[in-house]
Amino acid sequence: MTNPLYDALFKPHENAQTTFLILPDQTRWTHDQFLRRSAQFAHVLTSAGLRPGSRLAVQVQKSPQALALYAACVAAGVIFLPLNSGYTATEIDYFIENSGAEMMLCDGAAYENLAPLAAKYKAELLVLNADGAGSFSERADDQPDRFDICPRTADDLAAFLYTSGTTGRSKGAMLSQNNLLSNAQTLAEHWQFSKSDVLLHALPIFHTHGLFVATNICLLTGCAMRFYPTFDRSALIRDMPSSTALMGVPTFYIRLLDDPQFDQKAAQNMRLFISGSAPLLAETHKQFEQRTGHRILERYGMTETNMITSNPYSGARRAGTVGHPLPGIEVKITDPKTGKTLPQGEIGMIEVRGPNVFQGYWKMPEKTAAELREDGFFITGDLGQVDEEGYFQIVGRDKDLIISGGFNIYPKEIEAALDDLAGVLETAVIGVPHPDFGETVVAVVVAEPDVDLSHDDLAGEMQEKLAKFKLPRAYKIVPELPRNTMGKVQKAALRRQYSGLFESVPKE
Ligand code: MLC
Ligand code: AMP
């Protein structure tokens, strides 16, 4: 038996002395080195009792070793469950409980905080630091650097990625081997990747974009990645002349344009700039072309579906659009109320079907049934339209969601955390335009009678509860929230009222 994902992404590179990762200090990891380390990691997982289908939760800093964990999981048939490195212990508690992860890896600095909850859920907790050291690596050092690959089928699960929900808790999107593999194959071909490419990789590796889109394409085609722990504009500009492609969220492009060092010369050897995860302003697209001569290729995707649409590689890349459905993927626009397909040109719900679409939400059959139709179409929650030439445009969202620098933030979760604080009567959390992050979070708060709330008090208390990227950048204390005649809070009115709050904030 085979293991289709391993066979396509990793097996072809066994023993290969070719460059896989180039670190900011210019040290290199060959494919062989990477695979030998991941084989040792796979031995640690199986000797600890993890079996095909077990979950490994990972909250570590980005590093070659962190990526080797993904390879180790594929080799051992273990389900890889990466978590945002910014999550607090309170947030992590839920993921461990819900996923039933048998092992969890964390940074040494988080160990003490996470140990009690690992004990609560009987998960083994080991350390993997950013420099590759820690108790997990120590165990790996003595293991053989070859591993008998666990047989899997294309329908077996490879990863859980948790996505927040508009109501209630996060949902674990179950992704099969074929969900990942089919998308990587389609994208590699569509964007014409080959082994001579060098991808600038500055995204986190706990989300679809940096983990699956970027990494799987490189593994599939054998190209190298310049691997940065975080987005570092100067390093990117420095290394661009010896690279060929960049994948980023719009904030990357906004920040690059903000640096006068970034010019046509810096970008002259690049063949492709790709943007996604959040809307790229047409203005950014235009400025980028004026500065560099390159037209950014915008594409659209989701955790549950991998990539859905893309602007063409060779044809016209249209600013403000996300291009056409990728080969093998069906996309339609439907009436959000009836689910009926709408005539071309009308605005409606974007629905998607194809080998890219996930297998459902872990242990949440009702939520799965509400979003994934019996005929296989997934209801994205994004509103869009198609023009006569088949280009899709995303015009809004039917879900109460804020996208800040490419991270999704659900107002409901922040409202619930705020409502729990003493002295808070009610809240409305909204997204407003931000020059660097695209959108940012503003909390509009009503205090209980005779209670004095201040921005600083609220900010101080919220810091304990939520990851930094979710924290409101402003707290507006108001006597009451605007409501319509039905009593529903009018968030649109609040968004209008506070839309100019960050207009003049300097970028970065
Ligand atoms: C960091 N901060 C953020 C933030 N990122 N706040 C809001 N939104 C964000 N996205 C916080 C930091 O903790 C810090 O807090 C302060 O804001 C300023 O940090 P910074 O140094 O300027 O930020 P930086 O570390 O440079 O990160 C910005 C970023 C990063 C844009 C590079 O957020 C990023 O890599 N985003 C990519 C997210 C991504 O991969 N999305 C893909 C999802 S998959 P303080 O208090 O310390 O100042 C998906 C599907 C698809 O959507 O289609 O791809
Ligand atoms: P996530 O749940 O983190 O995978 O985020 C997916 C969401 O990001 C989608 O549902 C869209 O709302 C948004 N998104 C992704 N790519 C784009 C894009 N190119 N333009 C606008 N929104 C996007």
Side-chain angles (χ1 to χ4, degrees):
M1 258 192 47
T2 57
N3 178 324
L5 195 58
Y6 189 89
D7 295 347
L9 301 187
F10 303 109
K11 198 175 169 55
H13 307 301
E14 281 175 1
N15 298 315
Q17 298 308 317
T18 38
T19 299
F20 176 38
L21 302 173
I22 310 166
L23 304 186
D25 67 1
Q26 309 305 317
T27 54
R28 286 166 188 248
W29 277 58
T30 63
H31 284 97
D32 180 53
Q33 198 181 351
F34 178 80
L35 288 177
R36 286 182 192 275
R37 195 57 173 154
S38 66
Q40 291 181 310
F41 285 178
H43 280 291
V44 179
L45 300 181
T46 51
S47 355
L50 273 71
R51 295 284 165 259
S54 298
R55 275 78 63 202
L56 173 73
V58 173
Q59 191 195 28
V60 298
Q61 301 301 318
K62 181 178 172 186
S63 68
Q65 290 84 354
L67 193 60
L69 289 171
Y70 164 49
C73 284
V74 177
V78 167
I79 295 173
F80 186 57
L81 195 174
L83 293 162
N84 191 317
S85 48
Y87 286 148
T88 62
T90 320
E91 291 168 306
I92 296 290
D93 187 307
Y94 167 77
F95 297 119
I96 304 303
E97 182 191 14
N98 182 265
S99 66
E102 288 171 34
M103 185 185 276
M104 176 170 183
L105 302 187
C106 71
D107 193 89
Y111 186 86
E112 268 184 40
N113 251 345
L114 296 177
L117 69 94
K120 182 162 81 171
Y121 299 117
K122 300 191 173 50
E124 183 165 16
L125 181 64
L126 293 172
V127 168
L128 180 67
N129 288 322
D131 63 0
S135 51
F136 183 78
S137 300
E138 282 159 23
R139 277 200 204 173
D141 291 342
D142 301 332
Q143 298 291 336
D145 60 6
R146 282 283 175 254
F147 180 82
D148 282 338
I149 305 308
C150 171
R152 298 267 82 192
T153 71
D155 293 333
D156 282 324
L157 296 178
F160 285 2
L161 293 191
Y162 275 81
T163 77
S164 297
T166 38
T167 55
R169 311 308 303 257
S170 284
K171 301 165 286 184
M174 301 187 283
L175 295 156
S176 70
Q177 285 214 344
N178 194 46
N179 290 151
L180 305 182
L181 186 52
S182 64
N183 213 235
Q185 284 163 336
T186 301
L187 294 174
E189 198 180 324
H190 200 74
W191 296 337
Q192 301 192 13
F193 271 81
S194 74
K195 63 175 183 306
S196 47
D197 274 305
V198 178
L199 178 78
L200 293 161
H201 191 303
L203 289 159
I205 52 168
F206 45 71
H207 275 313
T208 297
H209 196 165
L211 180 61
F212 298 135
V213 181
T215 301
N216 286 351
I217 288 180
C218 290
L219 284 162
L220 193 68
T221 57
C223 75
M225 291 196 274
R226 290 191 168 277
F227 209 58
Y228 306 91
T230 55
F231 177 81
D232 175 346
R233 180 173 63 190
S234 311
L236 242 62
I237 296 173
R238 179 196 67 203
D239 295 338
M240 208 170 269
S242 55
S243 309
T244 63
L246 171 66
M247 287 182 199
V249 294
T251 303
F252 282 21
Y253 295 105
I254 291 167
R255 289 185 179 183
L256 283 170
L257 284 169
D258 226 31
D259 187 332
Q261 307 272 357
F262 180 64
D263 55 15
Q264 191 142 19
K265 192 155 175 279
Q268 70 184 2
N269 292 335
M270 293 284 285
R271 71 167 182 89
L272 186 57
F273 290 92
I274 301 175
S275 178
S277 309
L280 181 77
L281 293 179
E283 187 52 29
T284 310
H285 192 279
K286 210 168 91 196
Q287 278 180 20
F288 199 88
E289 186 176 12
Q290 276 163 0
R291 181 85 68 88
T292 65
H294 286 275
R295 288 179 75 79
I296 298 173
L297 183 156
E298 187 170 6
R299 65 27 169 210
Y300 159 59
M302 275 187 87
T303 299
E304 289 91 333
T305 61
N306 299 279
M307 298 305 101
I308 305 168
T309 69
S310 170
N311 267 282
Y313 184 78
S314 302
R317 297 176 193 166
R318 296 219 175 126
T321 81
V322 292
H324 308 106
L326 284 159
I329 297 175
E330 294 168 81
V331 188
K332 61 181 183 178
I333 304 286
T334 60
D335 182 323
K337 290 205 178 74
T338 63
K340 291 221 171 80
T341 303
L342 292 171
Q344 181 267 314
E346 287 192 23
I347 293 173
M349 177 67 74
I350 302 178
E351 296 195 25
V352 190
R353 180 164 70 180
N356 54 316
V357 173
F358 76 139
Q359 308 301 304
Y361 297 114
W362 172 247
K363 291 208 291 200
M364 291 185 180
E366 293 89 14
K367 289 215 156 92
T368 303
E371 294 178 39
L372 193 54
R373 295 186 191 281
E374 269 177 19
D375 64 5
F377 272 97
F378 175 68
I379 306 166
T380 61
D382 292 310
L383 299 173
Q385 66 188 136
V386 201
D387 70 15
E388 316 78 60
E389 291 169 72
Y391 282 80
F392 279 71
Q393 197 181 358
I394 299 172
V395 299
R397 299 178 204 126
D398 194 41
K399 47 194 174 189
D400 194 11
L401 163 70
I402 299 165
I403 304 184
S404 165
F407 285 142
N408 287 7
I409 301 168
Y410 281 87
K412 191 99 202 142
E413 187 185 2
I414 303 168
E415 288 162 3
L418 274 167
D419 289 345
D420 270 355
L421 302 182
V424 172
L425 181 66
E426 60 171 353
T427 51
V429 167
I430 52 165
V432 300
H434 189 276
D436 186 28
F437 290 122
E439 274 184 293
T440 196
V441 183
V442 172
V444 187
V445 181
V446 181
E448 278 173 359
D450 304 322
V451 174
D452 247 351
L453 288 178
S454 78
H455 176 290
D456 290 354
D457 291 344
L458 291 170
E461 292 198 63
M462 288 292 281
Q463 224 160 10
E464 306 292 308
K465 295 181 167 231
L466 298 174
K468 262 188 183 170
F469 73 90
K470 296 180 191 168
L471 295 174
R473 279 202 153 64
Y475 294 86
K476 294 286 167 191
I477 321 289
V478 298
E480 60 180 9
L481 297 176
R483 291 180 189 279
N484 64 14
T485 47
M486 309 291 285
K488 192 167 181 269
V489 175
Q490 292 188 292
K491 287 200 171 178
L494 291 172
R495 278 193 283 267
R496 275 196 300 278
Q497 185 177 352
Y498 295 112
S499 64
L501 213 52
F502 294 95
E503 246 163 23
S504 54
V505 170
K507 290 170 196 151
E508 257 191 306

